């Protein structure tokens, strides 16, 4: 009953725009969650200590930025994890703040409580008062301005103990990121209507005059739209469409794509947002063409990325594997040539590019054989061969991953999707029976085995190994139990060498 009462109070506070106040227990719960990492617990403890020390000398320490936003979204029931904590300390000069943090880092009781032998104080930006303790960023309130193209990374920063929260929070990009939380009082500070925007699910710029100073904010809107499934305010949408993106560094663009693809439940929302924001027109012409001229492929791409993201989340795929599958899905819809260009535009690594293009090639090759008109006469052989090829990729994939790709892209052939799904289910069934769905078949013979039979090192050895693999996939060496026998393989080689 008490929990229900609190939930009703929160809703009433939102409805009437009343100041939101939380108990300290609530704050800790919403920030840390049920299974916090050790670093986050350390950061939260240090933040609470800084808040106490700041207030004892007439200052005020606030949690700011993404940690407050994500904690409040958790309170609304969103399945989010607060990754790290940021603070701003008001009413203190830079030297005073540094001395206070150095004293905290050297306190033996604090180190004993945290189980740390040493707490390192780092000055991340001495000129504008930013410090770091075990991943916790502590800063003085500041304003930022950028005065030329391509200066998104190097703003002119002015930090001052005299700034109030409304002035300092104006440097933020979106209202939902311009919130603060007073750890001592459990009070949420909101100078720009961020709480209301959080409740309504709206992305809105804090300051239209300074928003475009950093063009990367347009891509941040894209990834926030996907991650939180929020709508973009019409004024902010128009503002973003007018911003020039040509000076953005590719590595910064790639980071936002990485967040959008990996951290969203429905990446299709991010793709739709990117099209509306003008990102495709300015940075990704091939995607702009697809979205504007081919409704079928646009719909297919959206369904495919959402399906892939859902499957990857369900089976807890590693981030590098999830990203590779999502990029491959996009690449299969775009086509190999446009996919190669797109991967460069988002600053994909050499390994990601090679893995993605290789997977597109495998998809084009095996899709025709598995679910097209040219079905292989020996399906078992084809399934084992593909499982072996996938395992050689980096990161290593398995047939289950490839089947996700096939399932995601059944929409490419429209009316044949039902027939395709039947074919895919048959492949999956055969892979399970052959025990190659999650791991490849182990090679029955190695190069060492052939060397013992007197085969010389060199090209001939490699050719023989490939030949042995082909025969293994055909079942030539299978024993009565249906498993490849090393003895049968050795006998086959001896007969061939005679």
């Amino acid at each position: 009953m008490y929990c229900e009462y609190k939930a009703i109070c929160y809703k009433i506070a939102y409805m009437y725009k009343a100041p939101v106040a939380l108990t300290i227990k609530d704050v800790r719960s919403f920030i840390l969650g049920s299974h916090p990492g050790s670093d986050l617990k350390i950061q939260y403890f240090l933040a609470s200590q800084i808040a106490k020390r700041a207030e004892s000398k007439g200052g005020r320490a606030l949690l700011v930025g993404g940690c407050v936003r994500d904690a409040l979204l958790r309170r609304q029931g969103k399945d989010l994890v607060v990754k790290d904590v940021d603070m701003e300390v008001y009413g203190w000069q830079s030297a005073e703040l540094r001395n206070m943090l150095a004293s905290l880092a050297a306190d033996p009781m604090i180190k004993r409580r945290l189980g740390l032998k040493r707490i390192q104080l780092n000055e991340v930006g001495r000129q504008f008062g930013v410090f770091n303790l075990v991943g916790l960023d502590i800063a003085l309130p500041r304003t930022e301005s950028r005065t030329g193209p391509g200066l998104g990374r190097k703003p002119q920063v002015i930090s001052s103990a005299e700034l109030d929260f409304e002035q300092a929070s104006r440097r933020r990009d979106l209202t939902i990121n311009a919130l603060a939380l007073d750890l001592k009082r459990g009070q949420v500070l909101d100078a720009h209507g961020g709480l209301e925007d959080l409740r309504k699910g709206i992305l809105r710029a804090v300051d239209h005059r300074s928003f475009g100073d950093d063009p990367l904010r347009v891509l941040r809107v894209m990834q926030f739209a996907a991650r939180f499934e929020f709508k973009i305010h019409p004024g902010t949408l128009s503002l973003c469409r007018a911003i020039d993106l040509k000076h953005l560094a590719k590595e910064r663009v790639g980071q936002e794509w990485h967040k959008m693809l990996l951290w969203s439940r429905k990446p299709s929302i991010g793709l739709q947002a990117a099209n509306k924001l003008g990102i495709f027109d300015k940075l990704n012409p091939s995607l702009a063409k697809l979205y504007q001229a081919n409704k079928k492929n646009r719909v297919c791409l959206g369904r495919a990325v959402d399906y892939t993201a859902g499957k990857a989340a369900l089976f807890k795929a590693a981030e590098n594997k999830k990203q590779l599958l999502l990029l491959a899905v996009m690449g299969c819809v775009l086509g190999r040539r446009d996919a190669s260009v797109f991967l460069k535009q988002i600053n994909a690594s050499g390994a990601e590019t090679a893995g993605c293009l290789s997977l597109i090639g495998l998809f084009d090759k095996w899709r025709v054989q598995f679910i097209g008109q040219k079905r292989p006469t020996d399906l078992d052989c084809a399934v084992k061969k593909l499982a072996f090829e996938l395992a050689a990729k980096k990161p290593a994939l398995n047939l289950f991953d490839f089947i996700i790709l096939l399932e995601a892209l059944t929409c490419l052939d429209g009316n044949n999707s039902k027939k395709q799904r039947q074919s895919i289910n048959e492949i999956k069934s055969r892979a399970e029976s052959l025990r190659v769905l999650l791991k490849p078949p182990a090679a029955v013979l190695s190069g060492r085995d052939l060397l013992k039979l007197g085969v010389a090192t060199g090209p001939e050895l490699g050719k023989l190994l490939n030949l042995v693999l082909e025969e293994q996939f055909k079942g030539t060496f299978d024993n009565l139990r249906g498993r490849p026998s090393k003895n049968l393989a050795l006998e086959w080689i001896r007969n061939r060498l005679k």
Side-chain angles (χ1 to χ4, degrees):
M1 285 294 293
Y2 175 63
C3 293
E4 291 175 5
Y5 169 76
K6 285 201 296 183
I8 292 169
C9 288
Y10 293 150
K11 289 180 180 178
I12 292 173
Y14 268 134
M15 287 170 60
Y16 294 100
K17 300 183 181 180
V20 178
L22 310 172
T23 68
I24 299 303
K25 184 178 179 181
D26 288 337
V27 171
R28 180 180 173 83
S29 171
F30 291 133
I31 293 287
L32 296 182
S34 56
H35 301 289
S38 58
D39 285 351
L40 185 61
K41 287 193 286 188
I42 290 171
Q43 289 175 23
Y44 183 82
F45 177 78
L46 290 173
S48 62
Q49 293 298 311
I50 291 168
K52 289 178 184 177
R53 297 189 182 205
E55 187 143 329
S56 68
K57 296 291 180 66
R60 193 180 191 188
L62 305 173
L63 295 186
V64 294
C67 66
V68 180
R69 174 201 68 217
D70 291 349
L72 290 171
L73 286 172
R74 279 177 55 81
R75 193 187 74 182
Q76 292 184 24
K78 293 276 188 181
D79 184 18
L80 292 172
V81 177
V82 176
K83 294 179 174 60
D84 50 34
V85 177
D86 298 324
M87 296 194 82
E88 283 180 357
V89 179
Y90 291 76
W92 284 53
Q93 299 297 331
S94 181
E96 295 175 323
L97 177 58
R98 189 193 186 289
N99 291 337
M100 184 264 278
L101 294 175
S103 171
L104 182 68
D107 190 325
M109 292 183 66
I110 298 290
K111 288 188 280 190
R112 194 179 305 119
R113 169 74 182 268
L114 297 175
L116 300 174
K117 293 182 179 179
R118 185 168 179 263
I119 299 176
Q120 178 70 39
L121 173 62
N122 296 312
E123 294 190 54
V124 182
R126 178 178 294 185
Q127 70 273 26
F128 42 83
V130 179
F131 305 90
N132 184 280
L133 281 176
V134 199
L136 168 65
D137 281 341
I138 310 104
L140 293 174
R142 63 188 188 272
T143 60
E144 295 178 356
S145 63
R146 298 163 173 86
T147 56
L151 296 181
R153 284 184 169 188
K154 297 180 180 179
Q156 181 183 358
V157 178
I158 301 173
S159 60
S160 171
E162 308 304 320
L163 288 173
D164 61 25
F165 172 70
E166 192 278 333
Q167 293 170 315
S169 60
R170 192 164 287 278
R171 70 182 176 86
R172 302 283 177 178
D173 51 2
L174 300 169
T175 58
I176 63 169
N177 295 331
L179 300 167
L181 179 60
D182 187 326
L183 277 177
K184 288 285 290 180
R185 298 173 179 82
Q187 180 185 2
V188 177
L189 281 70
D190 176 16
H192 308 286
L195 283 171
E196 183 71 6
D197 287 341
L198 267 185
R199 184 181 71 81
K200 291 182 176 179
I202 292 175
L203 300 173
R204 184 165 56 89
V206 171
D207 187 342
H208 280 220
R209 293 169 298 177
S210 61
F211 183 87
D213 287 349
D214 185 1
L216 188 72
R217 288 175 169 177
V218 179
L219 280 96
R220 282 172 60 80
V221 171
M222 169 194 76
Q223 59 106 340
F224 285 136
R227 286 170 57 193
F228 304 138
E229 299 178 20
F230 278 14
K231 295 179 180 178
I232 305 167
H233 187 275
T236 302
L237 185 63
S238 299
L239 183 64
C240 289
R241 291 188 63 84
I243 294 173
D244 186 0
L245 305 179
K246 66 183 178 183
H247 294 289
L248 278 175
K250 286 183 180 179
E251 61 265 31
R252 301 185 78 206
V253 171
Q255 288 168 1
E256 299 308 312
W257 272 95
H258 177 90
K259 294 173 187 175
M260 191 274 281
L261 290 173
L262 290 182
W263 297 352
S264 58
R265 193 174 63 93
K266 292 184 177 180
S268 64
I269 296 175
L271 295 177
Q272 292 167 8
N275 184 48
K276 291 178 182 177
L277 291 163
I279 294 172
F280 289 166
D281 289 326
K282 296 168 187 174
L283 298 181
N284 315 110
S286 57
L287 279 167
K289 182 179 178 181
L290 183 146
Y291 262 73
Q292 293 160 14
N294 193 326
K295 182 179 179 181
K296 172 192 163 185
N297 278 5
R298 180 178 74 232
V299 171
C300 177
L301 178 59
R303 289 175 179 171
V305 292
D306 288 352
Y307 181 87
T308 306
K311 284 288 187 176
L314 181 63
F315 296 103
K316 297 180 171 59
E319 281 197 353
N320 60 345
K321 181 182 283 191
K322 180 180 178 181
Q323 174 142 316
L324 178 60
L325 288 173
L326 284 165
L327 290 175
V329 162
M330 294 183 67
C332 289
V333 177
L334 284 171
R336 187 182 181 87
R337 181 185 298 177
D338 286 341
S340 181
V341 174
F342 171 68
L343 291 167
K344 289 179 182 177
Q345 291 165 345
I346 65 169
N347 199 45
S349 67
E352 280 179 333
T353 300
C356 183
L357 294 178
S358 176
L359 200 50
I360 294 170
L362 283 176
F363 173 79
D364 290 339
K365 171 186 173 183
W366 288 101
R367 175 169 163 265
V368 173
Q369 295 195 38
F370 282 150
I371 56 181
Q373 301 300 318
K374 299 180 180 179
R375 291 296 300 277
T377 53
D378 189 343
L379 182 61
D380 287 2
C381 176
V383 166
K384 287 184 278 189
K385 189 174 182 179
L386 176 58
F388 198 84
E389 286 186 53
L390 288 167
K393 303 299 173 189
K394 290 185 180 180
L397 300 174
N398 54 43
L399 260 175
F400 187 81
D401 300 322
F402 193 74
I403 286 171
I404 290 175
L405 195 66
L406 291 175
E407 290 173 336
L409 292 165
T410 52
C411 56
L412 280 176
D413 286 334
N415 296 332
N416 293 325
S417 58
K418 183 177 180 180
K419 184 178 179 181
Q420 288 182 23
R421 282 192 289 270
Q422 291 173 346
S423 298
I424 292 169
N425 289 334
E426 182 185 356
I427 296 161
K428 189 174 180 180
S429 176
R430 292 308 306 145
E432 287 175 335
S433 299
L434 296 166
R435 304 179 195 85
V436 295
L437 183 64
L438 299 177
K439 62 180 181 179
V444 69
L445 293 182
S446 66
R448 184 175 297 179
D449 295 321
L450 297 187
L451 289 173
K452 289 179 180 178
L453 292 175
V455 180
T457 57
E460 189 62 29
L461 180 68
K463 289 179 182 178
L464 269 177
L465 279 174
N466 288 334
L467 192 59
V468 169
L469 271 178
E470 285 287 343
E471 294 299 321
Q472 177 184 335
F473 296 152
K474 292 176 183 177
T476 303
F477 314 133
D478 286 359
N479 57 25
L480 294 176
R481 297 171 62 190
R483 297 183 181 181
S485 164
K486 186 172 183 178
N487 290 332
L488 290 175
L490 288 171
E491 184 180 346
W492 185 87
I493 283 288
R494 289 190 189 99
N495 291 333
R496 186 173 181 81
L497 293 175
K498 284 180 182 178

